[in-house]
Each structure stands twice: as C-alpha cells, then as structure tokens.
Amino acid sequence: MAMATAPTSVRAPARWQDFLQLLKPRVMSLVVFTALTGLVCAPEHLNPILGAVAILCIAVGAGASGALNMWYDADIDAAMRRTRGRPVPAGRVQGADALALGIVLSLLSVMLMGVGVNWFAAGLLAFTIVFYAVVYTMWLKRWTAQNIVIGGLAGALPPVIGWAAATGTAPLNAWLLCAIIFMWTPPHFWALSLYTSEDYAKAGVPMMPVVKGAKSTRAQILVYSLLLIPVCVAPAFTGLGGAAYLGVSSLGGLVFLLLAWRLFRSHAGEAADPRNDDGLYDVRAGARDARNLFAFSILYLALMFATLLGEHLAGLKPLEFL
Amino acid sequence: MSDPNLEGEDFRRARRGRNIAIAVGLAVFVILVYVVTIVNMGSDVLHRPL
C-alpha cells in the first residue's frame, strides 16, 4: 500500500478552522445539495427534524471521508499547486489528527443516521465513506486512469442516501439521480485535468491526460457527454421530472454537447508549457475550451438538481409519458 | 501532549479554540441524539402502559 509521506512537523498551532478545512466544505455543500434533492424528490415525506438530521449526517460523513482523503493523500497534495496549501501538507495539522477526525466523524455520522433515521440509509452512508476513502483514495487514484470514473460513484451516491433516508428504499428514480452524477463526473474532471495535467504528472497521479494523452482524453470526454445527456433527460420520462426539468436538461444538454464537441476539436492539453507557472485556473493557449466545459458542467448539474428540487417543493406534477 | 517549545500566546489561543470546538461538537451530538429519540417516539410515548 502506497502510504502517504506527509510532513509530520507542525509549524504553526492548528486552529479549529484548519480542522474544518479538512472536511472540504465546498464538496460538502454540493453533497448537501444533491442529498437534499434526493430526500425531497422521494415520494414519502420524512419528519422535517429527521430530514435535517439525515442531511447533517450525510454532510458530516462526506466531510469525514474528505479528512481521510487528506490524511492519506498528503504526499500528492504537497506536490500539486491546487492542494499544497491544505492543512496536512502545509504542516498546520498532523496526519494522525486528520485520520482521527475522519474516523470519529465517520462513526458518529453513520451511528446517528442509523439510530435516528434508518439503518438502510446508514449502511449506504457507510459504504460511500469506505468507497471514497479506501477504494478511491487508497487504491484507484494511484493505480488507474479510470480512477475518477469508478471513484465517481462515491460522489454520486448522496441523492440515493437522501432518498433512502426518506423512504427506507432505493428505487429506480433514486439510482437515476445517482447515474446523472456518475456519468457527469468523467467529462467534468477530465476537462479540469486537461489544463492541470502537469500537476497530476508531477504528483504521479495517473489521470487520463497523463496516461493516455490529451487527444484520447478529449475523445473520451465527447463519448461520455453523448452518454450523459440521455441519462440527464431520462427523469422527465420516469415520473421524476416535470416540464421545466425536461427543458433545462435537454437545452443544457445541447450546450454541453456543443462545448464537448468544441473541446474535442481543440488542442486543449497539448500546448502546456512546463515553464509556465500561471495560476491553476489561468487559461493557457488551447485550454479555453476545456475551461468552458468544466465551468458549464458545474452549472448544468446545479441547474438540473435545482429544477428538480424546485418542482417537488412547489408540488408541480411530473410529466406523464408512460 | 503539547510541545513546550511551541507554548506561546498563539499556541494557547489555538488550543483553546480547538477545545471549544470539540465541546460544542459533543454538545450538539448529545442534543441531536436526544431530539431524534423524542421525534421517533412521537406521541406514542403518551400511550404506554403505566
């Protein structure tokens, strides 16, 4: 097992904010959003207090897996510009403390979900934490270029956990929400990695552009985008999404495909100059198309889930095609 | 165990902040367990045999 060789000396006293940073608050906010959508879209309604507790458990569970990831990946994080300021590689928090925080919060979140909501949702939450921290972080990330494809399941499960918290079950529509995020993850992350591949190469992470090259990555982004759009539109035909969702998912999907096509035709990822030490999100020659798809992918996912959430909160009826 | 070489005003302030955060976290957890227990019992708690 490739063990993290994190700096062990602490240069400055750790503040509580450093421990909060270990929980990846930005990722947590996305997880909360998608889990809430799953919980609200479920046909049965959970007591609002228990619903809030379920969302809190999912958020804390996600944060715990983030802390475990930062403990194990301290060596990778230290080698990359985007992550070298994180608490462990920066020396503000010891690796053992990050590990302890991750384990304690994992146990508390799963136990509270089980005792307070239901054990099926708690089991799914435990599986998600283990899948992200062990299967993705310790195994896939350093081993295969398919790391974010398979590992994307961990980020895709929160709406299923939210649904399971409300109903104790996980039917097809819950897995459809999961499938949307799962299929969205590869084009999203590969678009980002096209203009950060030097960082990944330096850290020894086998991201797709590092292993297969930029041209192959752009082609795979296009293929995944073609597969993604039907999955995104599908909820409008399964009694989950309404007219607004159909409009957002299909029109947004067309824009997504257009951007993926432009990226495919571009030279993004090929013209990176290793002497160029621009900021991470600065646009290098040829990388503008990659940045455009990356930015739009976030907007597209957010709009689809916000529309589903809005339709169900407003009590709008889903479309009836079947 | 704290390193005496690091003991200073910044260190003490950071440690105090961490301790308060842990205390708040534990208190929130205890309250949450209490609340979800009450919510799950619901009104049935009034209909138990005495």
Side-chain angles (χ1 to χ4, degrees):
Chain A
M1 197 164 68
M3 186 53 214
T5 53
T8 51
S9 63
V10 175
R11 291 173 208 144
R15 300 168 305 148
W16 66 268
Q17 292 93 333
D18 295 320
F19 287 94
L20 184 66
Q21 202 185 337
L22 286 175
L23 307 184
K24 301 189 179 181
R26 263 193 269 179
V27 176
M28 274 171 81
S29 63
L30 182 67
V31 166
V32 164
F33 179 50
T34 57
L36 182 66
T37 304
L39 192 139
V40 170
C41 289
E44 293 170 33
H45 294 292
L46 191 61
N47 177 298
I49 295 173
L50 295 183
V53 169
I55 295 297
L56 179 69
C57 288
I58 297 169
V60 172
S65 54
L68 294 170
N69 170 273
M70 285 204 204
W71 157 69
Y72 195 81
D73 276 351
D75 57 336
I76 291 176
D77 289 346
M80 295 175 57
R81 276 176 296 171
R82 182 171 67 90
T83 53
R84 64 187 171 201
R86 286 178 173 175
V88 180
R92 298 196 303 277
V93 172
Q94 292 200 16
D97 291 342
L99 172 64
L101 182 73
I103 291 174
V104 168
L105 291 184
S106 297
L107 293 174
L108 291 183
S109 60
V110 171
M111 281 195 306
L112 188 58
M113 180 74 100
V115 170
V117 185
N118 67 64
W119 285 102
F120 179 56
L124 281 172
L125 180 60
F127 173 80
T128 305
I129 295 169
V130 171
F131 193 85
Y132 184 76
V134 178
V135 178
Y136 170 70
T137 300
M138 296 182 185
W139 179 35
L140 295 171
K141 186 172 179 179
R142 297 166 191 255
W143 176 62
T144 170
Q146 298 295 327
N147 48 15
I148 55 106
V149 178
I150 309 166
L153 180 63
L157 278 169
V160 184
I161 305 172
W163 195 298
T167 66
T169 61
L172 175 70
N173 273 337
W175 290 106
L176 206 46
L177 295 177
C178 173
I180 290 172
I181 304 175
F182 184 77
M183 295 303 295
W184 167 90
T185 304
H188 169 75
F189 271 108
W190 285 339
L192 169 70
S193 66
L194 274 174
Y195 56 100
T196 57
S197 57
E198 288 166 33
D199 247 11
Y200 285 112
K202 204 167 28 173
V205 180
M207 287 298 280
M208 192 59 77
V210 178
V211 177
K212 298 285 183 185
K215 191 177 179 184
S216 169
T217 305
R218 294 197 304 270
Q220 293 190 62
I221 286 174
L222 183 61
V223 171
Y224 270 96
S225 302
L226 285 166
L227 296 172
L228 169 69
I229 308 312
V231 176
C232 290
V233 176
F237 298 89
T238 61
L240 186 59
Y245 179 80
L246 179 62
V248 167
S249 60
S250 51
L251 289 177
L254 288 176
V255 176
F256 198 104
L257 273 181
L258 177 69
L259 294 174
W261 174 251
R262 282 187 181 168
L263 178 58
F264 175 67
R265 298 284 303 262
S266 76
H267 296 283
E270 290 175 5
D273 182 350
R275 292 165 301 180
N276 187 347
D277 197 31
D278 291 341
L280 178 66
Y281 296 100
D282 288 351
V283 180
R284 295 195 183 96
R288 184 176 297 278
D289 294 303
R291 196 192 65 157
N292 285 345
L293 181 65
F294 174 74
F296 183 76
S297 66
I298 298 170
L299 180 68
Y300 184 46
L301 188 72
L303 277 177
M304 283 190 296
F305 275 76
T307 306
L308 274 179
L309 194 60
E311 282 181 340
H312 283 263
L313 286 175
L316 297 176
K317 287 187 177 175
L319 294 171
E320 292 180 7
F321 290 100
L322 301 175
Chain B
M1 287 279 280
S2 58
D3 183 346
N5 296 325
L6 290 172
E7 287 281 5
E9 189 53 36
D10 284 351
F11 188 84
R12 277 193 291 273
R13 198 179 302 132
R15 184 172 57 191
R16 181 177 160 76
R18 292 199 306 269
N19 289 343
I20 290 171
I22 290 170
V24 169
L26 280 174
V28 167
F29 182 72
V30 170
I31 292 167
L32 281 175
V33 170
Y34 176 75
V35 168
V36 297
T37 305
I38 296 297
V39 171
N40 276 323
M41 285 195 297
S43 57
D44 290 346
V45 71
L46 301 174
H47 299 120
R48 69 194 191 284
L50 294 173

